[in-house]
Amino acid sequence: MPTEIDVQATLRDKPGEEMEEYLILGACNPPLAHRALTADRRIGLLLPCNVVVRAEAGQTVIEALDPQTMVAVTGQRSLQPVANEAAARLRTALDALQASGQPG
């Protein structure tokens, strides 16, 4: 199930701070998450499930953690196929977003 955290609204409510638009979108791929968790139960902290959408200098910036970080941090080579597939899926999604924002 996708989740959304509106950081701008949260900080406005408590502690009363203002900032630019900033959303954290959570959308794990359950089959990939299961494969990663099967390889290493501690991997939950490093799953590349969050995507940040924020404003910067009048532009929309979309950022995501490189799934290869799971392998680099843990040293678990068994996570490599999961990281490769997650990276490919993420790149496809980011490329599609970039293409949809280009003038036609």
Side-chain angles (χ1 to χ4, degrees), residues 44-88:
L45 291 170
L46 296 173
L47 286 175
C49 295
N50 289 340
V51 174
V52 170
V53 180
R54 61 186 179 86
E56 183 177 283
Q59 300 287 318
T60 299
V61 177
I62 302 171
E63 301 169 309
L65 180 69
D66 181 350
Q68 299 301 333
T69 302
M70 294 187 304
V71 180
V73 170
T74 66
Q76 290 277 351
R77 303 306 304 165
S78 59
L79 290 169
Q80 190 68 62
V82 177
N84 291 345
E85 186 173 340

